[in-house]
Amino acid sequence: MLVLISGRGSNMQAMVEAGLPVTAVISNRADAAGLAYAAGRGIATAVVAHGGYATREAFDAALAQAIDGFHPDLVALAGFMRILTSGFVQRYEGRLLNIHPSLLPAFTGLDTHARALAAGVKLHGCTVHFVTAALDHGPIVIQAAVPVFAHDDETRLAARVLAQEHRIYPQAARWFLDGKLVIENGVVRIEGDHPQQLYAP
Ligand code: GAR
């Protein structure tokens, strides 16, 4: 499997530490901290810098070329902060996963923790989903919910959610690689008897 990152790469790290077969990590930013971690673990790394391309289509084509050189069975977006073209998404349809820091379909887009606090939700969380052309939509694989406490700030809430991201993303990738994920009418079912949600008080 191949992981796309833009920064810290803690979700990618969680996958490596869970024993998943991460064979390559690609970033759109040369300064992504996660690249050093991956290189230190002997994982192939590459940078496709988005600044070097005039259009989204040109960037996505270069990214796809880099990805395809590794022949990955699964492409996992892990804090990859680029909007992808529909052509790119179609190319990897059915083997492209993303993690989003909210309980989708609530709070698509950016600043999810601040927006959750502003909305006064009492439960927040994270979602792993298959990527489709619509931003932060697509069949949901697994979600984790955490409580929002009265005196939370964005930093505390983000950390509570991130700890759960590190649990559910490796789980989702493992299910995928084991061939357990089935999409039926836009809904993900897992072969066998596995809970697809967790609540972490
Ligand atoms: C994670 O919280 C991830 O859910 C989020 O970026 C962070 C990356 O952290 N992704 C998005 O907001 C995607 N829209 P990481 O680099 O430490 O894995």
Side-chain angles (χ1 to χ4, degrees):
M1 65 177 285
L2 182 149
V3 185
L4 295 178
I5 64 169
S6 294
R8 180 176 57 184
S10 71
N11 276 290
M12 173 271 296
Q13 193 170 328
M15 292 197 228
V16 172
E17 283 167 12
L20 286 158
V22 178
T23 52
V25 174
I26 299 178
S27 173
N28 62 311
R29 300 179 59 105
D31 62 356
L35 289 172
Y37 169 84
R41 298 292 294 247
I43 297 167
T45 62
V47 175
V48 182
H50 60 269
Y53 300 89
T55 62
R56 281 194 193 284
E57 286 72 20
F59 170 70
D60 280 6
L63 183 61
Q65 196 173 17
I67 291 170
D68 292 349
F70 293 105
H71 306 288
D73 43 9
L74 168 64
V75 178
L77 307 175
F80 188 67
M81 306 306 274
R82 296 288 304 170
I83 292 174
L84 298 164
T85 58
S86 57
F88 181 94
V89 171
Q90 270 162 30
R91 184 185 188 95
Y92 298 103
E93 194 178 353
R95 57 188 177 112
L96 187 59
L97 290 176
N98 181 45
I99 187 152
H100 184 75
S102 78
L103 292 173
L104 291 174
F107 308 121
T108 59
L110 298 174
D111 300 323
T112 56
H113 307 306
R115 287 160 57 214
L117 288 170
V121 296
K122 308 309 177 203
L123 288 172
H124 185 43
C126 46
T127 303
V128 177
H129 64 100
F130 282 98
V131 177
T132 59
L135 182 68
D136 297 332
H137 283 78
I140 291 170
V141 178
I142 183 170
Q143 293 183 302
V146 301
V148 181
F149 297 121
H151 300 295
D152 269 344
D153 60 17
E154 201 179 330
T155 306
R156 280 161 45 105
L157 185 55
R160 194 173 306 126
V161 171
L162 189 66
Q164 299 313 311
E165 295 186 36
H166 296 164
R167 295 176 67 188
I168 66 170
Y169 211 178
Q171 174 66 84
R174 175 70 68 200
W175 280 332
F176 180 91
L177 295 174
D178 287 349
K180 287 195 169 145
L181 301 183
V182 184
I183 304 175
E184 289 167 342
N185 301 320
V187 173
V188 177
R189 180 171 63 74
I190 301 176
E191 307 270 16
D193 187 19
H194 302 282
Q196 278 172 276
Q197 72 293 115
L198 58 94
Y199 177 65

